[in-house]
Structures are given as C-alpha cells and as structure tokens.
Amino acid sequence: IEDINQEEENHEAAREAWNRLLHDRHSFNVLDNRDIRGVHQKLTTQRQETEMAKKRILLVDNDKLLNHINQKILAGSGVVNELHIVSNGKEAIDYLHSRIEKQYVLPEVIILDLDMPVMNGFQFIDEFQKLTFPGKSDVKIVVFTASSNPKDKQKAIAKGVKYYLDK
C-alpha cells in the first residue's frame, strides 16, 4: 500500500509540475528544452520504478473459478508483470524446471494452495527446496489455502514458508 501511495504521490507531483509549466504563462515563456527533458526524465524514471515493482507470479491452485478471480484481482491491482497459472504442484515443478532449463526468468512469488491432486502444496515445497538456481532465496512462497487446520500452518512454517493466508 505504501508503494501504491508513493507512486500516486509521484504521479501527482509530475502532473502538478506539468500544470504549472503549461498554465503559468511566465513559466511557459521561459521553458526551454532542459526543462522539458527534466520533466520527461522524471516521468520515465517513475514509470521504470513502477514496472520494476511489478512481480512475476506463479499461481498454483486446482480451483479454476478461484484462479480466474485471483487473476482478475492481481491484474487489476497493477502488481503483476507476468502471471502463470498451474493446477497442481507437479505442473508447478515442471514449469520451474522448464524455465530453469531454458534460462528464463523465474517467478518472484509463488502463490500456493495446499490441497491439490497429483502433488499437494507440501510435496511441492519439498520438491522446490531440492531445486537449485540463482536467486532461489529471493522467491517468496505464499501459502493461500482454505485449510483451517492449525497443524497445516505449523507444518508450512516448519518447511520455511513465511507467508500463510487463509482463503
């Protein structure tokens, strides 16, 4: 939220600068190319910072309706640079293996359900921990589950998960 507020303040400051330059006749008369380049550079820097703040996300959940809803929410929030959705832990591991093999950029955030067919969330975490790739320690796993069992939360924390959210 702080990043969003800061971004809004930055955009507002840039808009105000343009308004002052364009609506104040005196400023407009003395406006030269250096002034225009300065404002343009500030806007470009702000846009780049906003893009850098966006994340590559892997969503791992077998609930197609919830995936659709989450996709809309994440896309609408402006925090997503790239979103890939898979239905279970095995598909997620296969996706990561493929990205690693091709030396593609990996997701920065993995949103993970626990209760899935084929390979559940805990099994995924175990397999993920076996992977080796640069930047692995920067990948954040967010467990997003309907499980109300406190043992699931304890187990996730014991496996190194720092973010646990109830659906």
Side-chain angles (χ1 to χ4, degrees):
I1 293 176
E2 289 175 11
D3 290 341
I4 292 170
N5 289 337
Q6 182 63 44
E7 180 182 330
E8 288 174 1
E9 288 174 17
N10 290 341
H11 287 293
E12 185 60 32
R15 276 193 294 273
E16 286 176 18
W18 272 111
N19 282 333
R20 279 195 310 274
L21 289 171
L22 296 175
H23 296 294
D24 182 345
R25 290 178 191 258
H26 177 71
S27 295
F28 189 76
N29 290 336
V30 297
L31 188 65
D32 65 17
N33 286 337
R34 289 187 313 267
D35 294 326
I36 293 170
R37 279 194 299 268
V39 172
H40 181 265
Q41 185 176 11
K42 184 174 182 178
L43 289 172
T44 301
T45 301
Q46 290 172 353
R47 190 175 306 115
Q48 289 170 341
E49 288 171 355
T50 300
E51 286 302 314
M52 287 172 49
K54 291 184 178 183
K55 303 293 182 199
R56 290 177 305 279
I57 299 175
L58 173 61
L59 176 58
V60 187
D61 196 327
N62 63 313
D63 186 329
K64 289 181 181 180
L65 177 60
L66 188 59
N67 286 345
H68 180 72
I69 293 168
N70 286 330
Q71 180 179 15
K72 294 284 187 190
I73 291 170
L74 290 167
S77 71
V79 299
V80 177
N81 183 29
E82 179 183 326
L83 176 64
H84 190 82
I85 301 172
V86 295
S87 298
N88 60 61
K90 181 176 180 340
E91 288 179 12
I93 291 295
D94 291 345
Y95 172 77
L96 293 171
H97 275 296
S98 172
R99 304 284 293 189
I100 293 166
E101 197 174 278
K102 295 175 183 173
Q103 297 182 344
Y104 289 166
V105 179
L106 295 167
E108 297 159 292
V109 178
I110 299 173
I111 301 173
L112 178 69
D113 187 19
L114 293 179
D115 186 24
M116 297 176 289
V118 184
M119 180 187 287
N120 69 35
F122 292 122
Q123 293 167 324
F124 167 83
I125 294 168
D126 291 340
E127 291 301 311
F128 179 82
Q129 290 172 341
K130 294 176 189 175
L131 296 175
T132 56
F133 57 88
K136 178 181 170 186
S137 62
D138 295 329
V139 176
K140 292 172 181 43
I141 296 178
V142 178
V143 171
F144 185 53
T145 185
S147 173
S148 59
N149 186 341
K151 289 182 181 180
D152 283 344
K153 185 173 185 175
Q154 291 169 350
K155 187 175 178 180
I157 291 169
K159 289 183 177 284
V161 171
K162 294 184 175 108
Y163 308 96
Y164 191 98
L165 301 170
D166 297 318
K167 288 183 183 176

